[in-house]
Structure formats: C-alpha cells, structure tokens
Amino acid sequence: RISDRNFISSDYYSTISFSSVRGPLANAQLIAQQCSIDVSVIKTTNNQDIESITHLSNQVASALALKSPKEYKYWLITYVKRLTFECDDIRLQEICDNLRGPPHLYLNPKLKLTSHFESTVLGIKKDELLKEILHIMRENRHLQR
C-alpha cells in the first residue's frame, strides 16, 4: 500500500502534502488524505516513535516501487535522520550495507566485473547516497564507533 490511515500517529504523516519533493507518491497520498474521514487517534510516545519509523520505511519502499527518485532520496534521508536520532544502529547498518554492496566487491575490486550489484538506485549513485548518509550519522556520537 502506498497510502492508508495506518500511519496517522506518525510524526511524518502530515508532511506528505507539504513536502518540497512532489512526485507520484506524494500525489497519491494527498488524494487519499483528502478522501478519507478524520479519525482521532490517541498518540503515545512509544507508539508514535514506532509508527513514525515504520511510516518512513514504508515511504522509502513506496517511492522505490513507484520509481520516483526525488521522493526516494527525500524519504531515505528523512528515514536515516530519524534512525540516527533514535541510535538505531542495526537498521542504519542494513541501509549502509545495501548501498555499499556485497563485501566481496569492496574487498576484491576485480570481482566487480562478474557481480550483479547495481551501483545506482533509480539513477542515483549509491556511493553518493552512502556519503550523505554517513555525514548524517556522524552527527550522533553514539554511532561513532
């Protein structure tokens, strides 16, 4: 699903209509938001944090599925900022590993010719995304190890 009311408690739910990055994902979610009825939800800190992280992960996956590079980068960077704030080193490591590629590629550059690793995602160079993500992560001293 690219749009539903499941993430109404997310800190990022209302940003879909105000995002500076407009694409197919934002348009679909704006229409869905305008057509839905307002439901009041009690926000708890723990629930809101979990829902916000899940919402951001869903936004990244939806932008990727819709092949929207601007929205993909926007939501990936927003997701990384939130994970950095939360000190979620496991999810951050997964993202970095995905962008860096399989270990055998950077340990033995000769194998790059035979590997199926894509160096771009939606036309964006993964190594450039990785640099930007590492720059964000370095702002959190707990992640600097």
Side-chain angles (χ1 to χ4, degrees):
R1 289 185 228 172
I2 60 170
S3 181
D4 59 30
R5 306 275 302 164
N6 288 342
F7 301 115
I8 197 164
S9 293
S10 168
D11 291 331
Y12 304 93
Y13 183 76
S14 64
T15 63
I16 60 175
S17 60
F18 304 109
S19 172
S20 61
V21 181
R22 297 289 298 218
L25 176 59
N27 291 335
Q29 291 178 337
L30 183 59
I31 291 168
Q33 187 180 36
Q34 291 170 344
C35 294
S36 63
I37 57 172
D38 190 24
V39 178
S40 65
V41 174
I42 299 172
K43 294 185 177 185
T44 63
T45 305
N46 188 36
N47 182 40
Q48 188 173 359
D49 290 342
I50 293 168
E51 195 162 322
S52 294
I53 290 172
T54 304
H55 181 215
L56 290 172
S57 176
N58 188 56
Q59 292 293 90
V60 172
S62 295
L64 185 62
L66 290 170
K67 298 182 173 144
S68 178
K70 289 180 183 178
E71 289 177 304
Y72 173 78
K73 183 176 179 180
Y74 173 82
W75 287 113
L76 179 65
I77 296 302
T78 305
Y79 183 45
V80 166
K81 286 178 181 178
R82 181 61 182 250
L83 294 175
T84 299
F85 176 77
E86 299 288 338
C87 295
D88 193 335
D89 57 338
I90 294 172
R91 287 188 181 136
L92 288 166
Q93 182 69 44
E94 287 177 9
I95 292 168
C96 291
D97 288 346
N98 181 282
L99 294 173
R100 185 179 58 204
H104 68 276
L105 291 181
Y106 52 86
L107 294 175
N108 187 353
K110 293 178 184 177
L111 294 176
K112 286 186 179 179
L113 299 174
T114 60
S115 177
H116 291 85
F117 174 71
E118 295 289 330
S119 62
T120 62
V121 58
L122 300 177
I124 306 167
K125 292 183 180 180
K126 287 183 177 181
D127 58 343
E128 290 178 9
L129 278 174
L130 183 59
K131 286 178 189 175
E132 194 169 340
I133 285 169
L134 292 173
H135 182 75
I136 293 166
M137 290 172 58
R138 77 177 188 187
E139 296 173 5
N140 185 325
R141 289 185 184 255
H142 297 287
L143 297 173
Q144 297 176 6
R145 50 183 165 103

